[in-house]
Amino acid sequence: TLTAIAASSLAPRSGRPARALEHRRVVDAARGLFCLADASGPAAYPGYHPALGIDLGLEAFVAAFAATTATGPSRLLEAFRAAHEEMSRRRAAHPPGALGHFAASITACAFAAGTITVGQVGDCRAYRRRRQLDRVVVDVLVREHTLATAAPHHVAAMLAPDQAAAVVTRVVGQGFELQVDTTTAPVRPGESYAICARALWPSIDDVFAAPTEAALATVTARCATCAGLDASAIVIEVAA
């Protein structure tokens, strides 16, 4: 049995125009599908425009995931392709530079038949928390796609770590060939999983420790303020 809580917080930006949250979440315990998407792309206006990008992309993602007969990584790959094609089609219909935030990072976790499959494009992360002998272990299931992970030794000479981590090297909806990293692992009773935006990575222990959505919202709000970035998290618990 899976239970989930989720929360998002907008980063405060004093003296700048009000804007919408640039993250979207999918929490569908019945289908075993959990996704976090973070809008990206050049901003031609302050903030994400709801007629573009991730809303329509996630609609296509969820519809493809529900409709396909594929299983395991193939099921997620079909969903990613559907989102990519829809977002790329909409972007191509507008003149270059006319609209912003047309692409997205998407991390998705699909639970089925005692396994979890993670699909990763961009700079969100999926974590697993489990007990191993007498200690608790938290690990990243699939690495994010940034300059910091793509070419750490070359980048280190040119950029600070936080600058390299902010440059995303793969997105959904850009129009180029889509590359999705996937992994599948067995799910064990008592494990927890979390999908987090970048602002929450330094506080992943606090994310897992939050017992309610209200507590998780407190964590996301604190991290959004400290990092100056929108913060979102989904925490999934596997019944013991």
Side-chain angles (χ1 to χ4, degrees), residues 3 19 47 68 100 138 146 186 205 222:
T3 58
R19 61 184 182 84
T68 182
V138 175
T146 68
D205 289 338
R222 185 189 75 231

Side-chain angles (χ1 to χ4, degrees), residues 77-105:
L77 288 173
E78 286 194 23
F80 270 99
R81 280 194 292 268
H84 182 68
E85 289 168 5
E86 175 64 18
M87 294 166 70
S88 297
R89 182 182 66 80
R90 288 199 162 262
R91 175 176 177 263
H94 295 86
L99 297 169
H101 292 86
F102 46 72
S105 296

Side-chain angles (χ1 to χ4, degrees), residues 36 61 73 76-77 80 104-109 117-127 140-146 149 168-172 178-183 194-198 201:
L36 178 61
F61 188 105
L76 275 185
L77 288 173
F80 270 99
S105 296
I106 299 179
T107 299
C109 295
T117 299
V118 181
Q120 172 82 29
V121 178
D123 70 340
C124 298
R125 276 184 185 173
Y127 291 88
V140 179
L141 293 173
V142 183
R143 297 302 304 185
E144 67 278 7
H145 302 124
T146 68
T149 54
V168 183
T169 55
R170 290 191 206 173
V171 289
V172 177
L178 179 67
Q179 293 179 285
V180 185
D181 289 345
T182 63
T183 189
I195 311 173
C196 296
R198 183 158 54 95
W201 298 352

